[in-house]
Amino acid sequence: MTVSAILSVAIALLLSMAMFMVTINVSKMTQNIEGQLELQVSLSPGLSDDKKESLEKEIQSVSGVGSVTFSSKNQELDKLISENGEMFARYKDANPLYDIYLVEVNPLNTLEDVSDTISTMDGVVEVNYGGGAITRIIDVFSSARLGGLLITVGLMFLGVFLIRNTITMTISTREDEISIMRTVGAYNFYIQMPFILEGISIGFYGALIPTVLVSSVYSWLYYESGGKLVSDIFSMVPPWPMLGYVVAGVFAVGIILGMSGSWLAVRKQIRKVR
Amino acid sequence: MISLSHVSKLFPKGVHALNHVDLNIDDGEFVYVIGATGSGKSTLVRILNAEEVPDTGTVLVNGIDVGKLKHRKIPKYRRQIGCIFQDYRLLPSLTVYENIAFAMEVVGASRKEIKQRVAEVLDLVDLKEKARSYPDELSGGQQQRVTIGRAIANHPSVLIADEPTGNLDPEKSREIMDLLEKINQTYGTTIIMVTHDSTIVDEYKKRTIMLEGGFVVHDFAKGGYKSL
């Protein structure tokens, strides 16, 4: 009986832990994308410092705009050279690039609006960003994150239900003992305690299986793939210390599930008779 | 002191009901409750034991309004009440000693208290030499004596016996009756005994309350079926 209870808890926790790991990683990837998403506002050449300053203030006042950073065309060229090689060094004498403002946008779904507003401003040549595809990816990722969390929570409830059912079966064989205990005046907590302890141990052993399994599979995946899928943007969360927290969380959840499941079951049994 | 006033209980099918029962039972009394099957005897027992709540009326036992007890308050009340059942309700996996000790462990008695009291009780119910036996190794009368031992272990002020001799032959029934009388006299325990054993009721004369269709139809201090 106990074995089947442990297994059912283990399965519920395994699924929710796996789901949670996916969610964490999707979340991280979303952050990566968001972090790299900024509007690049190119300024008309020869704009006076005063004009630049007032333009910066104007951009800053648009709703949805986070930080605004200035980067001169020389800085931009240096970045180009360091990212793409010395062959760009020959432009040093006649730099064809623009001075730019890097504009962070928050929330990201206002990206297009903000971009439209800024591009009509005086002194702005053009506004660049990744385009519609990026915003769509972000939408998909945030729904995936929400879905993942919902499924995780749902599976936890399933866990409570499974434990409650299994303990109910265990208890029905001890129905006589419980009713005799009530007859001789045992307090409810005295009757419940052994079952709750049993629930805790079911939760503990039920958490052991999924934590070992998911931790090893995740670590293997991480080191095998070098920590990223396809490109840097889709990088995985490093196993340590994240797995430590997740494992501790799964044990806590398992124990709470076990406790509440058996508490519900034994409570029902005690309530059966007055 | 047990007092019932205007106590009624109606079950959905209309059976095993009590109708406007008024009763007073003094401390230290030994009372029979008799009546045919379905007369309400068991309901009376279950209400006294707080297993059932009366629909109307109040049940006071030692000043406690039994019908109004919350579920979690019932255990404390039950410690004042000892219960003996026709079907014994012993735990088969425990020895005689352990079954009696169980009732005391449950209420949190110390090991020393338990040891002392269980020995005392075993002496009283005359089962000293059976202390290490299991219930299924005992005769019906012996099992019933274990139940009595368990019921009195915590010094209840009231003992409720639901057909304690129902499964026993006349000789074993007398043993049980002698034991109950001894408890009644030694500890001054109030005893309410539900029975339909006319031989016993006639032989050991006590106040006899007769129920019929949920009504108290006779309440004779003299006792005995023949006096009815």
Side-chain angles (χ1 to χ4, degrees), chain B residues 107-124:
Chain B
V107 303
S110 75
R111 194 173 275 217
K112 197 178 148 200
E113 284 172 310
I114 293 175
K115 210 174 158 189
Q116 197 186 342
R117 177 65 180 157
V118 175
E120 214 174 287
V121 168
L122 282 174
D123 196 31
L124 185 76

Side-chain angles (χ1 to χ4, degrees), chain A:
Chain A
M1 207 55 88
T2 320
V3 173
S4 64
I6 290 174
L7 276 180
S8 51
V9 175
I11 289 168
L13 285 179
L14 178 70
L15 294 173
S16 40
M17 189 177 172
M19 216 46 234
F20 189 65
M21 300 298 288
V22 171
T23 310
I24 284 183
N25 279 286
V26 167
S27 189
K28 164 92 186 299
M29 290 170 194
T30 316
Q31 276 170 15
N32 285 344
I33 295 173
E34 285 173 355
Q36 294 183 14
L37 258 189
E38 31 189 25
L39 294 176
Q40 191 173 319
V41 180
S42 306
L43 308 181
S44 319
L47 216 55
S48 70
D49 285 352
D50 283 353
K51 197 78 178 80
K52 280 180 193 163
E53 212 167 293
S54 69
L55 184 59
E56 180 173 347
K57 278 190 186 129
E58 202 181 342
I59 293 173
Q60 196 87 61
S61 68
V62 177
S63 92
V65 167
S67 70
V68 179
T69 325
F70 179 75
S71 175
S72 73
K73 59 182 185 178
N74 291 332
Q75 287 169 320
E76 284 299 289
L77 186 59
D78 289 345
K79 212 161 91 184
L80 198 63
I81 293 167
S82 73
E83 278 171 9
N84 294 292
E86 279 301 317
M87 62 178 183
F88 287 98
R90 61 190 155 118
Y91 290 109
K92 265 189 172 165
D93 294 333
N95 188 341
L97 299 175
Y98 295 109
D99 290 338
I100 60 161
Y101 277 121
L102 291 170
V103 178
E104 276 182 11
V105 178
N106 199 356
L108 274 172
N109 52 21
T110 60
L111 200 67
E112 293 189 48
D113 293 341
V114 173
S115 158
D116 290 347
T117 313
I118 295 177
S119 60
T120 61
M121 286 176 188
D122 206 20
V124 172
V125 179
E126 58 173 353
V127 180
N128 284 319
Y129 69 100
I134 293 290
T135 47
R136 233 168 292 133
I137 288 180
I138 289 168
D139 282 349
V140 169
F141 273 21
S142 46
S143 13
R145 184 165 48 174
L146 183 67
L149 277 179
L150 286 179
I151 293 174
T152 309
V153 171
L155 286 166
M156 284 173 188
F157 278 105
L158 177 72
V160 176
F161 178 75
L162 289 173
I163 295 175
R164 201 196 62 142
N165 266 10
T166 329
I167 300 258
T168 304
M169 282 193 278
T170 322
I171 283 178
S172 65
T173 62
R174 292 172 65 181
E175 211 174 326
D176 287 347
E177 198 180 329
I178 291 176
S179 90
I180 290 170
M181 279 175 156
R182 286 262 326 153
T183 306
V184 297
Y187 286 126
N188 291 351
F189 76 83
Y190 182 92
I191 303 174
Q192 288 164 346
M193 199 45 72
F195 291 100
I196 288 176
L197 290 177
E198 191 180 330
I200 289 176
S201 72
I202 287 174
F204 179 83
Y205 288 110
L208 205 59
I209 304 169
T211 47
V212 169
L213 212 64
V214 174
S215 304
S216 32
V217 168
Y218 186 84
S219 306
W220 176 80
L221 256 177
Y222 184 84
Y223 291 112
E224 213 43 37
S225 67
K228 55 192 162 196
L229 312 168
V230 192
S231 93
D232 273 348
I233 286 183
F234 300 101
S235 61
M236 293 167 74
V237 181
W240 189 257
M242 182 270 289
L243 270 177
Y245 296 124
V246 175
V247 165
V250 169
F251 271 98
V253 168
I255 286 169
I256 291 170
L257 290 189
M259 260 171 69
S260 43
S262 50
W263 181 73
L264 286 175
V266 72
R267 195 180 121 93
K268 195 176 160 208
Q269 184 64 46
I270 290 176
R271 297 265 155 183
K272 230 178 178 175
V273 285
R274 228 173 94 84

